[in-house]
């Protein structure tokens, strides 16, 4: 039955096929899996942030009963792991990065993997890991990215510590500042952030009956089978990766985590092997969100028109590059925000240090600059005595205009609507809850790219097949990281074929048996794999319409597919079941399946000298408005209300869209007020969830999500991605609300009570406004 919108199920709150098992705790995540004869693995990790390895002695570990092997760098066939964008077809030198699988001669950060052990029991593996003796010679380290830029800084690479530089040039920034009546300059800083997903890095590997190394792991990228094969020196076809449903990714499972370690141990022992990181290990060693130093200077005319922007971005890459060059590029393109500024100069650099490595994280390179540019917008509006909302509206980019990087905004830009609706939905201000408490409100807007860089030639593929009993099978290599990726694909198929969701089965995340669909990153799966499934299902639908038309002797375009039946429009009595159609197609030698590849629109590589060119397929635009209460005596900030308004193009599943918005806001509250992986001289001081604070239900208020549908996105029926954009404006909106409450601008995240108190001591004039 179609609705007034013309859709049967798209846009509805359809239940996810995986929801029941998750609610009842029945879903088997990566570590909920065991095989007979399975070994248990542990990683021996460096205890120094910068050192030369003199000797590794695994003899005592190997002699321990139950231990089957100890591996060091000498045992790894090819001890280099490259961090190319998976599946990319264009070699972009500045994006290429490498890491050691196991540390060879040197250690570059505390927690780096030095050796692997495997034993009959987990206890024996832990004991064996403790018995591996590593002799180090400490080397000078560098732990501050600005210090790492100095010529006399200890180099991590023979070529120095700089791993990438990008720049954007538009107009004449000096001339722009000469036009300005007001100039606001500030330096903003953000820290290391852990992904803190519920499910840590984990997996089980085994050798199948065909001699294929098979790894069932928590990963956002099943294409890492190529990395495992390259390290082992095997053909790519001899490694298979299966991604079950994943308990949170947020970018933390985009890079290789346990995959290569499991592959090495299976290859060495020829037995099944399990590896699951502890929470402490998960915080200590894998990649984090980049700390950024962001030096912003804006110039504006008295009437509130922005005229100039100069930005310097410094990203701490930690011990290895990973995806830092790519993250920095994203930050560069997003650095000016969604604003029209005629003269822009942006310089960015990513720097190696002996800190924990940094890489992908939800809001990939766009979350840090948003804190800076939205704080600047608020400060500029106040310096000009203008309403912050009106100031933004004057300067918002519109459809058809260009970013500072030269990319034209080709689809709807509903920023004025999102900001106004979010702000007004806050309603009347609350009364402070007691003496010394002050209420404040803030707003922030952002644009966030979805989909992969256009010059990397992204693609996704899917297979949709009508079974002989009339049900439908969908196969695609999408890893589902909890965002409802698989459910959305079922919903798209159900809409196109006129079937109920329970008549459709989907198989996902298997590099050997499902068509490859690329990474579940970059907010790309609904756009890319949604389009691939839409294309395959539409091709199958065309076949079914043709077959039905011939059987009923009516034109195919008059056929209706609904409720698992096919009939001529206006004559539902003459109908065929899908089971009958399957048999008819088989008799007629018509295919009952369709395989489709969706190729994203491609583009030319940007001009590296000017930073000009098209980088992303499209952006999602949105705004958030926040109300907070600040305790002036303690510096404690409580978020009272959050309203988030986004143009998502087209809603596929309303529950999933709202869930992504609510989850993004919750993570943004943690980014703004609580979360920071404190690192001192390379040592992590917050190694568990007792010390690394994440928001609880007591910290997150009800979130109001207002969803707009312009229908102008790049995905199915004009859908846009929402996973990462939902996080980006939260922290700056809270920072602006805190300023509104107490007149203190905190320029470093998170805004802890101590930082707010200290900032108040440094800004007494503002506080006494």
């Amino acid at each position: 039955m179609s609705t007034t919108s013309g859709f049967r199920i798209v846009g509805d709150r359809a239940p996810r096929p995986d929801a029941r098992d998750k609610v009842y705790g029945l879903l088997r995540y990566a570590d909920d899996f065991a095989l007979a004869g399975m070994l248990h693995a542990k990683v021996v990790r460096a205890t120094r942030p910068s050192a030369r390895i003199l000797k590794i002695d695994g003899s005592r570990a190997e002699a321990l009963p139950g231990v089957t092997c100890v591996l060091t760098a000498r045992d790894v066939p090819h001890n280099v792991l490259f961090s190319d964008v998976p599946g990319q077809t264009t070699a972009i030198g500045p994006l290429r990065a490498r890491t050691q699988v196991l540390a060879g001669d040197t250690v570059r950060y505390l927690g780096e993997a030095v050796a692997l052990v495997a034993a009959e029991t987990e206890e024996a593996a832990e004991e064996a890991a403790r018995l591996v003796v590593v002799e180090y010679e400490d080397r000078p380290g560098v732990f501050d990215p600005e210090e790492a830029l100095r010529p006399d800084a200890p180099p991590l690479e023979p070529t120095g510590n700089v791993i990438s530089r990008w720049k954007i040039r538009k107009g004449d920034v000096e001339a722009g500042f000469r036009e300005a009546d007001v100039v606001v300059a500030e330096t903003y800083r953000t820290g290391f952030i852990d992904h803190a997903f519920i499910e840590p890095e984990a997996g089980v590997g085994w050798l199948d009956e065909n001699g294929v190394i098979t790894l069932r792991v928590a990963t956002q990228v099943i294409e890492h089978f190529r990395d495992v094969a390259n390290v082992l020196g095997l053909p790519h076809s001899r490694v298979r990766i299966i991604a079950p449903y994943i308990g949170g990714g947020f970018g933390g499972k985009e890079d290789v985590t346990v995959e290569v370690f499991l592959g090495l141990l299976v290859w060495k022992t020829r037995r099944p092997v399990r590896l699951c990181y502890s929470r402490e290990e998960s915080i200590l060693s894998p990649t984090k969100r980049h700390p950024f130093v962001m030096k912003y200077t804006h110039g504006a005319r008295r009437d509130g028109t922005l005229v100039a922007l100069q930005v310097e971005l410094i990203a701490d890459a930690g011990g290895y590059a990973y995806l830092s060059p790519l993250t920095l590029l994203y930050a560069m393109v997003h650095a000016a925000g969604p604003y029209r500024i005629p003269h822009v100069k942006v310089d960015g650099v990513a720097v190696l240090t002996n800190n924990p490595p940094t890489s992908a994280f939800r809001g990939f390179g766009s979350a840090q600059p948003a804190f800076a540019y939205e704080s600047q917008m608020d400060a500029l509006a106040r310096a000009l005595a203008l309403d912050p909302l009106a100031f933004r509206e004057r300067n918002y980019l519109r459809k058809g205009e260009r970013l500072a990087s030269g990319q034209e905004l080709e689809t709807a830009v509903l920023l004025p609507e999102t900001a106004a609706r979010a702000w007004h939905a806050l309603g009347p201000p609350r009364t402070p809850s007691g003496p010394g408490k002050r209420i404040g409100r803030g707003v922030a807007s952002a644009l966030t790219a979805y989909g992969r860089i256009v010059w990397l030639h992204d693609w996704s593929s899917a297979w949709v097949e009508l079974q002989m009993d009339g049900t439908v099978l969908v196969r695609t290599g999408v890893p589902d990281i909890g965002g409802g990726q698989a459910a959305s694909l079922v919903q798209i198929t159900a809409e196109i074929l006129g079937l109920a969701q329970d008549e459709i089965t989907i198989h996902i995340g298997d590099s050997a048996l499902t068509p490859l669909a690329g990474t579940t990153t970059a907010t790309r799966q609904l756009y890319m794999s949604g389009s691939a499934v839409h294309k395959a299902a539409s091709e199958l639908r065309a076949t079914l319409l043709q077959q039905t038309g011939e059987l009923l002797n009516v034109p195919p375009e008059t056929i209706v597919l609904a409720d698992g039946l096919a009939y001529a429009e206006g004559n539902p009595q003459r109908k065929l079941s899908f089971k009958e159609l399957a048999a008819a197609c088989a008799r007629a030698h018509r295919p009952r399946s369709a395989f489709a590849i969706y190729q994203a629109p491609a583009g030319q590589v940007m001009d590296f000298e000017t930073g000009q060119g098209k980088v992303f397929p499209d952006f999602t635009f949105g705004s958030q408005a926040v109300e907070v209460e600040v305790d002036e005596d303690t510096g404690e900030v409580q978020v009272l209300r959050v309203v988030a308004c986004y143009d998502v193009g087209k809603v596929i599943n309303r529950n999933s869209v709202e869930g992504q918005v609510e989850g993004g806001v919750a993570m943004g509250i943690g980014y703004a007020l609580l979360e920071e992986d404190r690192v001192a001289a390379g040592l992590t001081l917050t190694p568990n969830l007792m010390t690394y604070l994440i928001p609880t239900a007591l910290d997150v208020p009800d979130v109001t999500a207002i969803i707009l549908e312009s229908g102008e996105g790049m995905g199915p029926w004009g859908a846009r991605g929402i996973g990462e954009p939902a996080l980006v404006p939260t922290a700056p909106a809270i920072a602006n609300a805190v300023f509104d409450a107490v007149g203190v601008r905190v320029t470093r995240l998170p805004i802890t009570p101590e930082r707010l108190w200290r900032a108040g001591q440094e800004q007494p004039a503002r506080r006494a406004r």
Side-chain angles (χ1 to χ4, degrees):
M1 183 69 69
S2 63
T3 66
T4 53
S5 67
F7 291 93
R8 294 181 177 87
I9 189 170
V10 161
D12 201 357
R13 297 184 183 276
R16 294 185 188 177
D18 55 310
R20 179 185 176 279
D21 282 357
K22 287 183 175 177
V23 170
Y24 284 93
L26 301 173
L27 204 65
R28 291 193 302 170
Y29 292 96
D31 195 43
D32 299 326
F33 189 79
L35 291 170
M38 185 174 72
L39 299 171
H40 299 264
K42 289 292 175 184
V43 182
V44 179
R45 299 192 178 277
T47 56
R48 316 293 177 86
S50 177
R52 192 161 71 90
I53 295 177
L54 301 178
K55 181 181 179 182
I56 302 177
D57 183 358
S59 59
R60 291 180 61 200
E62 290 172 326
L64 193 71
V67 173
T68 56
C69 78
V70 177
L71 300 182
T72 67
R74 291 178 301 177
D75 303 304
V76 183
H78 302 280
N79 195 35
V80 178
L81 197 56
F82 287 100
S83 294
D84 284 337
V85 177
Q88 73 178 59
T89 54
T90 302
I92 307 296
L95 300 183
R96 193 168 174 81
R98 63 177 175 79
T99 59
Q100 299 179 95
V101 176
L102 294 174
D105 297 330
T106 60
V107 163
R108 289 163 57 151
Y109 70 96
L110 193 150
E112 184 171 357
V114 173
L116 303 172
V117 299
E120 299 290 346
T121 66
E122 189 166 9
E123 292 76 13
E126 288 179 352
E127 179 64 17
R130 283 192 288 269
L131 293 175
V132 174
V133 178
V134 184
E135 293 183 20
Y136 298 100
E137 178 184 82
D138 287 328
R139 301 176 62 181
V142 59
F143 307 102
D144 182 287
E146 291 180 282
E147 292 180 3
L149 288 169
R150 296 176 181 169
D152 60 345
L156 276 77
E157 288 280 350
T159 55
N161 294 327
V162 173
I163 53 172
S164 62
R165 286 188 186 273
W166 302 99
K167 55 187 176 183
I168 290 176
R169 299 290 184 267
K170 177 189 176 188
D172 181 342
V173 75
E174 293 182 358
F177 279 113
R178 286 196 293 272
E179 296 177 28
D181 298 307
V182 171
V183 174
V184 171
E186 191 58 86
T187 297
Y188 300 87
R189 298 175 186 273
T190 61
F192 291 99
I193 302 294
D194 191 78
H195 302 86
F197 23 60
I198 295 174
E199 178 194 35
E201 299 83 349
V204 173
W206 67 93
L207 200 62
D208 78 2
E209 60 275 18
N210 297 312
V212 174
I213 293 176
T214 304
L215 308 173
R216 186 180 185 274
V217 295
T219 180
Q220 297 174 236
V221 184
I222 61 173
E223 283 85 345
H224 283 322
F225 72 88
R226 301 189 187 102
D227 299 296
V228 178
N230 290 341
V231 168
L232 293 173
L234 296 174
H236 288 181
S237 57
R238 295 287 296 278
V239 178
R240 172 187 178 192
I241 288 185
I242 302 168
Y245 283 95
I246 298 164
F250 312 124
K253 292 160 185 167
E254 178 171 351
D255 294 291
V256 169
T257 60
V258 300
E259 296 93 326
V260 172
F261 295 157
L262 282 170
L264 279 164
L265 291 167
V266 170
W267 167 76
K268 180 70 175 179
T269 65
R270 320 295 286 181
R271 290 177 59 179
V273 182
R274 165 186 172 266
L275 175 59
C276 178
Y277 290 177
S278 67
R279 178 60 63 185
E280 289 73 15
E281 196 174 17
S282 179
I283 293 178
L284 173 70
S285 182
T287 58
K288 306 283 177 281
R289 187 194 291 281
H290 294 77
F292 266 53
V293 179
M294 300 173 285
K295 302 176 182 178
Y296 267 72
T297 305
H298 277 91
R301 293 198 189 105
R302 192 167 290 105
D303 66 358
T305 303
L306 289 167
V307 291
L309 168 64
Q310 183 163 338
V311 180
E312 181 183 357
L313 302 176
I314 303 172
D316 186 346
Y320 289 95
Y322 282 97
L323 294 172
S324 294
L326 200 61
T327 309
L328 180 64
L329 175 60
Y330 273 62
M332 299 290 291
V333 175
H334 291 84
Y339 298 105
R340 182 190 314 106
I341 309 175
H343 307 287
V344 178
K345 179 183 180 185
V346 186
D347 290 285
V349 59
V351 192
L352 293 171
T353 66
N354 293 105
N355 288 323
T358 50
S359 191
F361 204 119
R362 189 180 194 178
F364 196 97
S366 65
Q368 296 96 327
F371 169 54
Y373 68 68
E374 280 303 274
S375 295
Q376 287 284 101
M377 291 302 105
D378 211 57
L380 278 163
R382 292 177 185 276
L384 292 163
L386 296 174
D387 175 72
L389 208 63
F391 175 77
R392 285 178 171 83
E393 183 167 357
R394 170 182 283 271
N395 293 289
Y396 282 140
L397 287 163
R398 263 60 172 187
K399 181 179 178 179
E401 294 187 304
R402 293 180 182 274
L403 301 176
S405 57
Q407 177 167 349
E408 181 181 349
L409 299 179
E410 300 170 357
T411 58
V413 183
L414 302 185
L415 282 168
E417 291 87 342
T418 64
R421 293 192 62 173
W423 185 256
H424 294 304
L426 282 179
R430 289 193 186 185
T431 302
S433 63
K437 306 287 184 67
R438 301 189 66 162
I439 300 294
R441 292 182 162 195
V443 67
S445 299
L447 81 168
T448 309
Y450 65 91
R452 188 161 290 152
I453 292 173
V454 295
W455 19 279
L456 297 182
H457 302 104
D458 199 10
W459 59 273
S460 179
S461 58
W463 178 282
V464 180
E465 181 176 11
L466 176 64
Q467 303 293 292
M468 291 306 292
D469 66 353
T471 61
V472 165
L473 182 67
V474 178
R475 291 189 288 136
T476 179
V478 173
D480 189 312
I481 62 174
Q485 286 83 10
S488 294
L489 302 181
V490 170
Q491 210 164 338
I492 290 168
T493 306
E495 180 70 40
I496 293 173
L497 296 181
L499 277 176
Q501 283 196 123
D502 58 8
E503 296 292 320
I504 300 168
T505 298
I506 187 167
H507 292 285
I508 60 171
D510 187 325
S511 68
L513 301 181
T514 57
L516 294 181
T519 63
T520 301
T521 66
T523 309
R524 63 177 288 284
Q525 284 297 6
L526 180 59
Y527 161 41
M528 294 299 303
S529 299
S531 296
V533 168
H534 186 286
K535 187 176 179 182
S538 296
E539 290 178 9
L540 177 58
R541 174 186 171 89
T543 299
L544 299 182
L545 296 183
Q546 187 66 37
Q547 185 65 56
T548 306
E550 290 180 10
L551 291 172
L552 299 183
N553 197 27
V554 297
E557 58 270 21
T558 66
I559 303 299
V560 175
L561 301 183
D563 303 323
L565 299 171
Y567 54 85
E569 188 174 14
N571 191 7
Q573 288 73 32
R574 293 189 66 202
K575 60 190 176 187
L576 294 167
S577 69
F578 273 38
K579 182 177 181 179
E580 291 171 315
L581 271 178
C585 286
R587 285 193 298 271
H589 294 179
R590 274 204 169 91
R592 292 176 291 102
S593 61
F595 170 73
I597 299 176
Y598 176 74
Q599 309 274 5
Q604 297 298 314
V605 177
M606 64 188 287
D607 183 334
F608 293 141
E609 289 302 313
T610 63
Q612 295 295 301
K614 183 173 182 176
V615 179
F616 300 110
D618 194 20
F619 299 85
T620 297
F621 302 90
S623 303
Q624 294 186 17
V626 173
E627 184 177 76
V628 302
E629 183 179 75
V630 181
D631 187 320
E632 287 195 294
D633 295 326
T634 65
E636 182 183 8
V637 178
Q638 183 179 2
V639 180
L640 303 176
R641 296 176 183 169
V642 179
V643 181
C645 183
Y646 287 87
D647 171 21
V648 301
K650 174 63 187 172
V651 171
I652 302 300
N653 185 304
R654 194 162 295 277
N655 283 341
S656 292
V657 171
E658 293 177 354
Q660 286 291 321
V661 171
E662 292 163 5
V665 168
M667 185 172 266
I669 290 173
Y671 193 36
L673 300 176
L674 296 168
E675 296 189 47
E676 184 173 23
D677 190 7
R678 302 295 296 270
V679 178
L683 174 64
T684 296
L685 305 177
T686 50
N688 52 51
L689 295 181
M690 293 287 288
T691 51
Y692 184 88
L693 303 180
I694 59 175
T696 69
L698 297 178
D699 301 304
V700 182
D702 287 340
V703 176
T704 302
I706 301 174
I707 306 302
L708 309 181
E709 297 180 89
S710 66
E712 294 196 20
M714 301 290 287
W717 297 290
R720 283 174 155 146
I722 188 60
E724 295 181 87
L727 160 84
V728 175
T730 311
I734 291 174
N736 292 337
V738 169
F739 183 89
D740 184 58
V742 296
V744 174
R745 177 73 60 191
V746 182
T747 58
R748 179 169 189 153
L749 296 180
I751 305 171
T752 62
E754 179 183 350
R755 283 184 182 145
L756 181 54
W757 182 85
R758 290 188 183 282
Q761 300 304 304
E762 296 167 358
Q763 304 171 34
R766 289 186 185 176
R767 192 171 188 177
R769 69 198 166 90

